[in-house]
Amino acid sequence: MKPAMETAAEENAEQSQEKKGCFECCIKCLGGVPYASLVATILCFSGVALFCGCGHVALTGTVSILEQHFSTTASDHALLSEVIQLMQYVIYGIASFFFLYGIILLAEGFYTTSAVKELHGEFKTTACGRCISGMFVFLTYVLGVAWLGVFGFSAVPVFMFYNIWSTCEVIKSFQTNMTVPGDQICVDIRQYGIIPWNAVPGKACGPILENICNTNEFYMSYHLFIVACAGAGATVIALLIYMMATTYNYAVLKFKSREDCCTKF
């Protein structure tokens, strides 16, 4: 029989070996996490959620403001109401698509990271894997350009609401200083092209405009459009990170495929 001290030493050696193997396994798993894709996915989900959620509510508030204060005839803003309703359905589609696309890109990041670092023996570069990575690179570039347009488009209502709000501040300033009558300061919504020129009344002046700025609908819609614009900007940044990550992974996979091909001969 072995002495007790030798048995204890062997047990300690086995435990230390198990701990070392477990530690190496954890390090190996952490090395396979695509941190860039993970950050981009979180940022993309947050940006799309802000854009879609806030944009949907802000569009509803905008229609209500127009109907109550700038276009009292239903036929004048019937086309605008249909367009906004269509945009709200588009928002639903965007939210669903990017929820699925973010998950797919994260899975693709895990795949390419594992293939690049050769964390699994048979899970290396393949023609199919390189084709999938190349497809995601192209698709992400296209979506990035599209979201730049969405970001620019989402800034338009922010600009419009800011002009109305700043005009209300000018009216308050003139009323305080008593230099110019507030009734002479107006905002004409028809100049933005969202309602026709024959819409009645089409514009608001003086105290009426100031009352519009003090309503909860105007306040909420203005700030929701700002948040939606910020969400679109966050999505653009997320897609830029995706672009860099997918392009880098594809380039490394391409390089390793050539390296493996050359080492066979």
Side-chain angles (χ1 to χ4, degrees):
M1 296 181 62
K2 293 183 180 180
M5 295 186 63
E6 291 182 4
T7 305
E10 290 178 357
E11 291 178 355
N12 291 333
E14 290 178 358
Q15 292 177 359
S16 62
Q17 189 68 25
E18 290 178 358
K19 291 180 180 179
K20 183 178 180 181
C22 184
F23 177 76
E24 290 177 353
C25 182
C26 291
I27 294 298
K28 191 175 182 180
C29 291
L30 289 175
V33 175
Y35 293 103
S37 296
L38 183 62
V39 171
T41 301
I42 296 172
L43 190 60
C44 182
F45 283 171
S46 302
V48 172
L50 289 175
F51 173 79
C52 294
C54 296
H56 183 276
V57 179
L59 287 173
T60 304
T62 302
V63 173
S64 178
I65 293 172
L66 290 173
E67 291 177 348
Q68 294 178 10
H69 304 288
F70 294 99
S71 180
T72 55
T73 305
S75 59
D76 292 338
H77 57 267
L79 179 60
L80 177 64
S81 300
E82 293 179 359
V83 171
I84 289 179
Q85 187 176 8
L86 177 62
M87 290 174 63
Q88 290 176 335
Y89 284 118
V90 171
I91 284 175
Y92 295 145
I94 290 174
S96 303
F97 172 79
F98 272 90
F99 177 76
L100 179 61
Y101 188 69
I103 294 176
I104 293 175
L105 277 184
L106 184 60
E108 190 270 344
F110 274 103
Y111 167 79
T112 52
T113 303
S114 298
V116 166
K117 297 191 176 183
E118 299 181 359
L119 296 177
H120 306 282
E122 299 179 355
F123 198 49
K124 297 184 181 181
T125 58
T126 61
C128 182
R130 294 192 299 274
C131 180
I132 293 174
S133 297
M135 180 191 69
F136 278 116
V137 170
F138 173 76
L139 185 57
T140 306
Y141 270 85
V142 172
L143 290 174
V145 174
W147 267 97
L148 282 175
V150 173
F151 175 68
F153 179 77
S154 64
V156 173
V158 176
F159 172 75
M160 184 183 71
F161 274 82
Y162 174 77
N163 281 345
I164 298 175
W165 174 81
S166 61
T167 304
C168 290
E169 294 298 315
V170 171
I171 293 175
K172 293 178 182 179
S173 176
F174 283 157
Q175 287 178 348
T176 302
N177 298 329
M178 295 295 180
T179 55
V180 178
D183 294 338
Q184 297 181 7
I185 303 173
C186 304
V187 168
D188 194 340
I189 297 296
R190 294 171 295 187
Q191 65 181 332
Y192 297 106
I194 58 177
I195 56 176
W197 281 104
N198 58 356
V200 179
K203 65 179 181 178
C205 303
I208 298 176
L209 179 61
E210 188 177 355
N211 291 332
I212 294 173
C213 293
N214 292 331
T215 59
N216 291 328
E217 289 178 343
F218 179 87
Y219 180 84
M220 287 295 297
S221 298
Y222 179 33
H223 289 84
L224 286 174
F225 274 125
I226 293 175
V227 176
C229 185
T235 307
V236 171
I237 296 173
L239 289 173
L240 289 176
I241 298 174
Y242 274 137
M243 287 181 195
M244 292 185 289
T246 53
T247 304
Y248 171 79
N249 288 333
Y250 177 74
V252 174
L253 289 177
K254 196 74 173 174
F255 175 77
K256 290 184 70 63
S257 65
R258 293 179 180 177
E259 186 181 45
D260 294 339
C261 179
C262 295
T263 54
K264 289 180 181 179
F265 298 98

